Amino acid sequence: MPGVAVIGYGAIGKLVVSGLAETGAADVTSVLVRHGAEAKPPSGVAIVHDAEGLLASEPAIVVEAAGQQAVREYGVSVLETGTDLMVIATGALADDTTHEELVSTARAAGARILLPVGAITGIDGLTALRASGLSRVHYTSTK
């Protein structure tokens, strides 16, 4: 069974970890949390505070569940090891520098950047609607 490491253990990170545990689709090896943050992941899941600790278990994939800053802070470190990175905070990729750094690192290391469909469906829909004349949007997000 593939190992999965998760960056962040807030609302989204907890859903990722519990969902993987419930389905048995993968073993969560570790979660990266900030120093001082309280985290009580399931038994057997290591709590780490840096990219080195996160990657120590050699996960098949790292799931970012901590926001755009986490993508910028840890993305390159994950990808340069050849480990695939799932980016939930896809807005981080709107920054050209971040996007270029991640893509070039992934290509050089043979890693993939994965974007979950639920995170980008809204963008696809808005792009399609803009082509049909949409000029304003009011967006509300709840986590």
Side-chain angles (χ1 to χ4, degrees):
M1 190 171 320
V4 176
V6 179
I7 300 171
Y9 198 62
I12 295 172
K14 287 176 184 172
L15 285 172
V16 170
V17 171
S18 67
L20 290 171
E22 287 174 17
T23 63
D27 289 325
V28 177
T29 59
S30 58
V31 294
L32 187 151
V33 298
R34 287 181 273 215
H35 284 285
E38 289 191 35
K40 295 178 184 173
S43 176
V45 177
I47 298 171
V48 299
H49 303 290
D50 56 30
E52 185 177 289
L54 189 73
L55 297 165
S57 63
E58 299 180 4
I61 186 171
V62 170
V63 177
E64 169 279 313
Q68 294 181 28
Q69 181 59 37
V71 175
R72 289 187 286 275
E73 189 171 342
Y74 302 109
V76 168
S77 296
V78 169
L79 293 167
E80 67 188 3
T81 67
T83 305
D84 293 342
L85 175 65
M86 179 176 286
V87 176
I88 293 177
T90 57
L93 301 174
D95 175 70
D96 290 338
T97 302
T98 300
H99 181 261
E100 290 171 18
E101 287 177 346
L102 293 175
V103 170
S104 65
T105 302
R107 283 185 179 144
R112 298 179 301 164
I113 301 169
L114 307 167
L115 307 176
V117 175
I120 58 176
T121 301
I123 294 170
D124 291 344
L126 291 174
T127 301
L129 289 169
R130 181 174 59 187
S132 299
L134 178 73
S135 63
R136 275 185 78 188
V137 172
H138 175 80
Y139 175 80
T140 303
S141 175
T142 305
K143 292 184 182 183

